[in-house]
Amino acid sequence: MSKIIIDEKTVEYAVYGGAILGGGGGGWIEDGLQIGKLAFEVGQPELITIDSLKDEDLLVTVSLVGAPAAKDKYVKPIHYAKALEILTQRVGKNIKGIITNENGAGTTVNGWFQSAVTGIPVVDIPCNGRAHPTGSMGSMNLSEQTDYISYQAAVGGKGPDYMEISLAGSLDKVSTVVRKASIEAGGLLAVARNPVTVAYAKQNGAAGAIQQAVAVGEALLSNKGEAAIAAVVNKLGGKVVAEGTVTDFVLETTGGFDVGTITINNSYELTFWNEYMTIEKNGDRFGTFPDLIMTLDAKTAKPIVSAAIEKGQNITVISVPKEKLILSTTMSNEKLMKPIEGIIHKSIIPYIY
């Protein structure tokens, strides 16, 4: 059994490294730090490797669903725990491990609070080693299992918008309902979903991706400014693609997603669907999802998610080839990539297949 030693300093590394691997999405740094530190205030979260469990043991994914820029979003730590409780009752079986849906500032530490409260360990095998927009992309290719029943529980909102829901059905249908419910709850829901065996997770998940996030975060925070950006690029095997001033920024929150474009120096254009999807200049493409594209403050090196970009900011854009990332099998599923083109109105498939 391999237990990974974690403490409050690990939270900081995981959140900032997760912010990089979030690729423009994956939640907010402040939220990740808050819930990660809260986990250590209420107990001791446990992080273990996948080989610590038996193949037949059951894992459950915990995540946030919604639009990070939604003005009325309201999700608190108790909502994370409640969603897990509802799902566990619905499934009626012992849950041996908690896994996060992806890496991101808020999502890399998904499950740490629940682990501290319940004693169930977090397993270092996220559904994906980078952030992604849709629930199906974070389902470890369960969308290809025609007989799989997706159980999902979601909690969030406040006042008249508060809701607790429990659903079962096909993955795509249930994920769509949860996404729509997040809009009614103010923009965001804490979700527990998709029980799978350890054996299935081994075949389809991103084993070791949390440790990668921690290493990236340590590289970032051990340096300052340009040196910090250089350290991150070196750690991930990527490169700096652009640096300059944001001359235009367009964001629309629609269908539970943040969608828009960013222009740098009136020349480089980034598109995003929560996460950054493309970066190009004069028709030349420098990165295409699931390649990692990420924006950082050019002076402080602080990661900036897509929803927090503002005109006039001086930013640096880095890109990391998908081959350098720890990814789920979903990132090789052409069927899941195709919808991106209709959202950002740019070609995707020819660049990745």
Side-chain angles (χ1 to χ4, degrees), residues 203-215:
Q203 293 178 339
N204 294 278
I210 291 178
Q211 293 174 84
Q212 183 180 45
V214 170

Side-chain angles (χ1 to χ4, degrees), residues 68-85:
K71 295 179 180 179
D72 298 322
K73 63 182 183 294
Y74 190 83
V75 172
K76 294 298 180 183
I78 190 64
H79 297 153
Y80 291 80
K82 186 65 176 179
L84 180 61
E85 177 188 342

Side-chain angles (χ1 to χ4, degrees), residues 22-38:
W28 302 88
I29 289 174
E30 294 74 16
D31 292 343
L33 292 174
Q34 180 187 39
I35 197 163
K37 290 178 179 178
L38 181 62

